[in-house]
């Protein structure tokens, strides 16, 4: 069951003088972003783009005959989790037990923790969630004998008879977690198969660290990595180390997700394969990093179009102190800047209800906590104090985590709903 939070003066950008209301009722206010009904900056999500992206990725998974477990860390929004599940997602992916609890509350009953679980508090929490929901199944990652020993020690001290579902993680040298060699992976898989407290359900990997936005490079490197992971899966199968009726093979970030499909549709194992794609950022997409990667996905897949940018942060021009420089009411507290600066995408002069595409030369060069530095050509369109500028983002995760709520808007920027976040 998803929450229906109350929005009030404690909610950033909600009008201080407006009466509190439940998120589900905000559409009745008659507000519009370009009527300046709410304070700036204001994070908004396009309802039509959101619906398109959920349907598009679900259709991609259906056409490839794989399951979709979107990564919930992107948005940490129970309302969006519920929409993804209602749209056909097999389950959800999370990075922590805290995130899992939010997902379970939103209705997820199949979940992958794409991370190692090993501390007492997290194992206690997972045990509690599983005990409280008989229809819940959760898989988490194991990548070392040391981690396995900690899980077994927890079970001894708690006198627990719980048997956790786990996935063997295969990693990339110099990058994140995961077994580095075939020998290491097989030794760990054998230890898992002998353990009374865990059950080996399949193999997990994350290919995103290999991607360089160079299709030739990315296809070569990811295909080679997929081959390594498949070899581990085949050897584990040959040695009868899996403890389930089917084998889960799971991968897929948001950059080169098409390149892992051969892994998720692996053939030749002695039991059925459950291929699970874990992309997360697709739900709102972006205007920068993932937009560039997606152009290459479209070329490899022979597509004319695919996902749409659904997330914007609207700001107001508060000062034009010198030719070629404007300051906007938006900063590090409000918008992503971890991969690259925000991107001006739309411009609405003061007093208008229409937004046009921002001039191509407009660029955000820097952010302070509460200011964005917009550079422009003084010989072209000059932003005026009071104008509104929509900023697109590169990497949605680190915009969502700056907001406790975001407005859902129609194509004319009428505010017709709201979602909450639980970071």
């Amino acid at each position: 069951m998803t929450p229906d939070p109350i929005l009030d003066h404690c909610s950033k950008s909600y009008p201080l003088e407006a009466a509190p209301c439940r998120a589900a009722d905000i559409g009745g206010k008659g507000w519009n972003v370009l009527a300046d009904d709410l304070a700036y900056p204001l994070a908004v999500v396009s309802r039509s783009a959101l619906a398109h992206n959920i349907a598009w990725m679900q259709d991609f998974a259906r056409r490839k005959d794989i399951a979709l477990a979107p990564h919930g860390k992107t948005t940490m929004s129970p309302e969006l989790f519920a929409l993804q599940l209602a749209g056909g997602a097999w389950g959800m992916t999370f990075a922590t037990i805290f995130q899992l609890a939010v997902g379970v509350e939103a209705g997820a009953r199949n979940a992958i923790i794409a991370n190692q679980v090993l501390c007492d508090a997290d194992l206690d929490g997972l045990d509690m969630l599983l005990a409280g929901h008989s229809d819940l199944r959760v898989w988490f990652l194991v990548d070392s004998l040391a981690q396995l020993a900690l899980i077994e020690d927890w079970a001894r001290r708690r006198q627990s008879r719980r048997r956790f579902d786990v996935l063997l993680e295969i990693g990339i040298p110099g990058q994140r977690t995961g077994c580095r060699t075939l020998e290491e992976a097989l030794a760990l898989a054998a230890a898992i198969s002998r353990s009374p407290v865990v059950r080996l359900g399949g193999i997990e990997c994350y290919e995103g660290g290999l991607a360089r936005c160079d299709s030739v490079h990315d296809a070569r490197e990811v295909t080679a990595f997929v081959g390594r992971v498949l070899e581990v899966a085949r050897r584990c199968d040959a040695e009868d180390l899996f403890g389930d009726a089917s084998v889960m093979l799971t991968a897929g970030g948001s950059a080169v997700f098409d390149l892992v499909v051969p892994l998720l549709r692996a053939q030749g194992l002695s039991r059925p394969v459950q291929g699970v794609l874990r992309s997360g950022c697709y739900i709102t997409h972006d205007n920068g990093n993932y937009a560039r990667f997606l152009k290459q996905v479209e070329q490899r897949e022979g597509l004319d179009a695919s996902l749409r940018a659904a997330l914007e942060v609207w700001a107001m021009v508060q000062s034009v102190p010198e030719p070629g420089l404007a300051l906007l009411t938006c900063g590090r507290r409000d918008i992503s800047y971890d991969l690259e600066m925000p991107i001006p995408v739309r411009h609405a002069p003061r007093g208008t209800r229409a937004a046009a595409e921002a001039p191509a030369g407009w660029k955000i060069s820097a952010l302070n906590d509460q200011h964005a530095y917009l550079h422009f050509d003084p010989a072209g369109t000059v932003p005026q104090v009071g104008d509104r500028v929509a900023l697109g983002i590169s990497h949605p995760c680190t915009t969502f985590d700056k907001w406790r709520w975001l407005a859902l808007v129609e194509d004319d920027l009428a505010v017709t709903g709201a979602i909450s976040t639980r970071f």
Side-chain angles (χ1 to χ4, degrees):
M1 182 176 181
T2 57
D4 187 11
I6 293 176
L7 304 176
D8 59 17
H9 67 283
C10 294
S11 306
K12 181 167 70 170
S13 298
Y14 190 86
L16 290 181
E17 77 285 359
C21 77
R22 293 200 172 274
D25 298 329
I26 196 171
K29 298 284 191 180
W31 289 338
N32 187 289
V33 174
L34 296 185
D36 298 341
D37 289 319
L38 296 99
Y40 299 102
L42 178 67
V44 306
V45 177
S46 162
R47 191 186 294 273
S48 62
L50 189 72
H52 168 84
N53 292 348
I54 291 173
W56 187 91
M57 187 59 87
Q58 195 62 51
D59 182 65
F60 176 87
R62 179 191 57 77
R63 288 187 289 106
K64 301 298 183 181
D65 194 26
I66 55 180
L68 182 63
H71 209 316
K73 71 177 176 62
T74 299
T75 69
M76 281 309 297
S77 170
E79 295 89 350
L80 295 185
F81 296 168
L83 286 175
Q84 289 170 302
L85 292 166
W90 165 84
M92 295 293 300
T93 298
F94 302 101
T96 68
I97 299 301
F98 165 76
Q99 293 176 3
L100 170 67
V102 176
V104 170
E105 181 182 323
R109 290 300 178 266
N110 292 312
I112 296 170
I113 305 291
N115 213 347
Q116 279 63 37
V117 177
L118 66 160
C119 83
D120 284 356
D122 282 340
L123 292 165
D124 289 341
L126 178 56
D127 184 54
M128 182 194 74
L129 287 170
L130 291 168
H133 300 274
S134 61
D135 56 345
L136 174 64
R137 195 160 185 198
V138 180
W139 293 259
F140 66 85
L141 308 189
V142 176
D143 76 341
S144 70
L145 292 170
Q147 180 196 357
L148 178 59
L150 289 176
I151 299 167
E152 292 176 334
D153 181 61
W154 171 88
R156 282 191 295 270
R157 288 184 288 107
R158 295 292 190 267
Q159 298 184 333
S160 172
R161 301 180 67 179
R162 172 75 62 194
R163 195 172 190 194
F164 293 113
D165 289 305
V166 300
L167 302 171
L168 179 67
E169 182 177 20
I170 308 303
I172 299 167
Q175 296 196 13
R176 289 190 339 197
T177 48
C179 297
R180 283 355 193 202
T181 68
L182 174 63
E183 293 73 23
E184 179 187 356
L186 292 175
L188 178 55
I192 291 171
S193 73
R194 295 190 298 267
S195 175
V197 301
V198 291
R199 175 173 46 240
L200 184 59
I203 311 290
E204 185 273 353
C205 67
Y206 171 67
E207 76 296 337
L210 293 168
R212 298 290 181 269
C213 209
D214 175 332
S215 199
V216 173
H217 169 278
D218 295 350
R220 181 184 66 245
E221 295 300 317
V222 174
T223 298
F225 183 46
V226 163
R228 285 180 49 216
V229 178
L230 279 172
E231 178 62 18
V232 175
R234 292 184 178 119
R235 289 287 295 274
C236 287
D237 184 54
E239 296 179 26
D240 198 24
L241 301 179
F242 293 116
D244 218 338
S246 63
V247 176
M248 182 187 296
L249 299 178
T250 175
S254 299
V256 290
F257 55 86
D258 60 312
L259 296 178
V260 299
V261 169
L263 170 65
L264 309 185
R265 297 178 61 182
Q267 304 291 317
L269 300 187
S270 67
R271 60 194 79 195
V273 169
Q274 167 81 82
V276 181
L277 182 67
R278 304 194 312 271
S279 306
C281 294
Y282 77 87
I283 189 167
T284 58
H285 195 41
D286 73 5
N287 297 94
N289 183 63
Y290 291 120
R292 290 188 290 273
F293 275 106
L294 193 69
K295 290 296 183 184
Q296 299 190 354
V297 175
E298 291 169 354
Q299 291 170 7
R300 290 191 294 264
E301 291 287 310
L303 304 172
D304 292 328
S306 51
L307 302 173
R308 303 175 187 167
L311 175 61
E312 296 175 333
V313 176
W314 280 86
M316 182 172 276
V317 178
Q318 69 181 85
S319 178
V320 187
E322 60 189 64
L325 175 64
L327 280 301
L328 309 183
T329 58
C330 175
R332 293 191 185 103
R333 308 289 186 180
D334 314 302
I335 199 165
S336 300
Y337 59 93
D338 55 325
L339 293 184
E340 62 188 288
M341 287 292 115
I343 302 140
V345 291
R346 293 201 279 175
H347 171 224
R350 177 172 175 79
T352 69
R353 291 285 193 100
E357 186 175 343
W362 284 16
K363 182 179 180 181
I364 301 297
S365 64
L367 296 173
N368 298 145
D369 281 357
Q370 309 290 168
H371 298 90
Y373 291 69
L374 171 62
H375 286 269
F376 60 91
D377 181 357
T381 302
V382 175
Q384 303 295 320
V385 172
D387 287 0
R388 287 72 49 88
V389 178
L391 299 175
I393 50 92
S394 187
H395 193 203
C397 301
T398 50
T399 291
F400 273 101
D401 68 9
K402 293 170 174 54
W403 296 85
R404 294 182 183 178
W405 77 285
L406 296 89
L408 284 173
V409 298
E410 304 305 315
D411 292 345
D412 64 354
L413 291 170
V415 177
T416 56
I419 59 170
S420 62
T421 66
R422 295 270 293 276
F423 286 98

